[in-house]
Amino acid sequence: MSTDLSTTPPGTPGAPGTPGASDKLDREVLVVAGVVVLGAIMSILDITVVSVALETFQREFDATTAQVAWTMTAYTLALASVIPLTGWASDRFGTKRLYLIAIVLFAAGSALCAAATSLEMLVAFRVLQGLGGGMLVPLGMTILTRAAGPERIGRVMAVMGIPMLLGPIFGPIIGGALIENASWHWIFLINVPIGAAAIVYAAKVLPKDSVEPSETFDWLGMVLLSPGLAAFLYGVSTIPETGTVLDAEVLLPAIIGLLLIVAFVPWALARSNKHPLVDLRLFTNGTMTVAVIAMSLFAIAFFGASLLFPLYFQQVRDEGALSAGLLLAPQGVGAMLVMPVAGVLSDRIGPGKIVLAGIAVITIGMGMFATLDATTSYTFLMGALFVMGLGMGATMMPIMSAALQTLRGHTVARGSTLLNIVQQVAASIGTAIFSVLLTNGVKNDVRPSKDPVQVLDDLAGVFSSTFWVAAVMVAVVLVPAFFLPRKPPAEPVDQTALMGH
């Protein structure tokens, strides 16, 4: 059975694009979606589960905050570096085979992390985890898109969005519970049985690979882009630590990374380069271009601001990591309620209208948070998080589906790779921006005082001001969202023909 169901002849009963074919997700697609969600949950949960263990790592390994932060940074850099390889590798080895390899790498890395006896070992094994985790999400998007066909992509992206949205919310809850009731080792050990189950599940239900003759590998592209992304993100991730963009530790790697990325662009577009590592010719597709711009602005604004929520609860309201995680749960509930409906509507009326509504709702929720102080009621705050969750469920995955609906064949893998790179880079930039805004706000506006109430009021004021910036940045996403398709997906564009390959 071919994995590329989007190229099934139109006359085939039930084939994508066949008039009268059911637009519901059939059992076969749902079974495939199950294994994809399982893999994505492992990868995305792991990022946020580890975030609550940093204080524990400091104690266990007698290390500084900056040193233990490498357990997060190493994973992110490895994840970003391997994403560009995923499109080529899925064409070369097949999506099923590569998906199984990615799960094995991730599970093995998790087991080794749990066995680490020093911080250096833990950081090294986090790199191995990141190499596996970086492939799981773009591969999962490719597998689901091909299985469902373009006219049902809104629905499958809604399924794929579940771990993407719930990971950052339930990660701290699970991490806090495991650390408090067992030990830090279990935040990694828990991935081993999940990984084993995912391997068996994937081997059984994913369609057999149908690999075409291999494309040549873009070695020069890999030498330019993967180290370029890693160096740039390293520089950006150092900004919160240094407190300024102008520090040499930020500027040197960021500039080197940018130069490598810039050098990749003409090489990727050169006529002599038939199979670039990341296919920038996809930007000849207007919908893809608009979706990438919308995704970039959204990821910077929303994922950057997301770090503020648990910090407010912990620093201003004196909540523990587990309590802060639980207080964020309404956001996940709101997203879960809307996401399936948004997926169906995105397929029926086009993603443009859905995304516009979602962004408007998130802006309202973020605006509610911008009015907080040190004593704002939890009912109000959790209501604002619920509102933002409703908007989130109608935003991120419809943006992705808008881009992927226009692709078919091998360009699906290349498109999902491009979207995941953009999201990863934009989220890192957003995190750095809001970390610096918050740090500088605390430095400038929180006055030393013997009165703890006054200090908390000042600190709450800094959070309020930063949330206003977030609300404005989210609202800006309305501009590109206005140009997203407002009609059901037509026959996908054959990008190969457009590009003259």
Side-chain angles (χ1 to χ4, degrees), residues 121-178:
M121 287 176 66
L122 181 57
V123 169
F125 296 143
R126 286 284 283 164
V127 170
L128 182 62
Q129 256 195 320
L131 293 176
M135 291 189 283
L136 286 173
V137 174
L139 274 175
M141 287 172 64
T142 301
I143 290 167
L144 272 179
T145 303
R146 289 177 173 175
E151 72 288 336
R152 297 186 294 178
I153 197 168
R155 291 166 175 77
V156 296
M157 284 296 104
V159 172
M160 192 71 192
I162 293 170
M164 285 188 171
L165 295 182
L166 301 191
I169 295 161
F170 291 107
I173 299 174
I174 295 168
L178 288 172

Side-chain angles (χ1 to χ4, degrees), residues 44-93:
I44 295 165
L45 265 183
D46 200 72
I47 299 172
T48 48
V49 164
V50 173
S51 67
V52 299
L54 297 182
E55 192 178 326
T56 305
F57 292 155
Q58 279 184 256
R59 212 168 41 247
E60 288 285 325
F61 298 117
D62 190 25
T64 65
T65 303
Q67 288 171 332
V68 298
W70 272 100
T71 58
M72 299 280 288
T73 306
Y75 182 87
T76 304
L77 295 184
L79 185 138
S81 299
V82 80
I83 287 174
L85 305 177
T86 307
W88 171 83
S90 63
D91 291 340
R92 169 65 180 85
F93 302 108

Side-chain angles (χ1 to χ4, degrees), residues 235-249:
V236 168
S237 64
T238 310
I239 293 172
E241 189 182 327
T242 62
T244 175
V245 177
L246 301 177
D247 192 278
E249 197 175 347

Side-chain angles (χ1 to χ4, degrees), residues 109-125:
S110 297
L112 290 168
C113 284
T117 55
S118 70
L119 186 60
E120 292 77 14
M121 287 176 66
L122 181 57
V123 169
F125 296 143

Side-chain angles (χ1 to χ4, degrees), residues 27-45:
R27 182 181 177 278
E28 186 178 350
V29 175
L30 289 173
V31 167
V32 170
V35 71
V36 168
V37 167
L38 194 58
I41 282 173
M42 285 197 305
S43 172
I44 295 165
L45 265 183

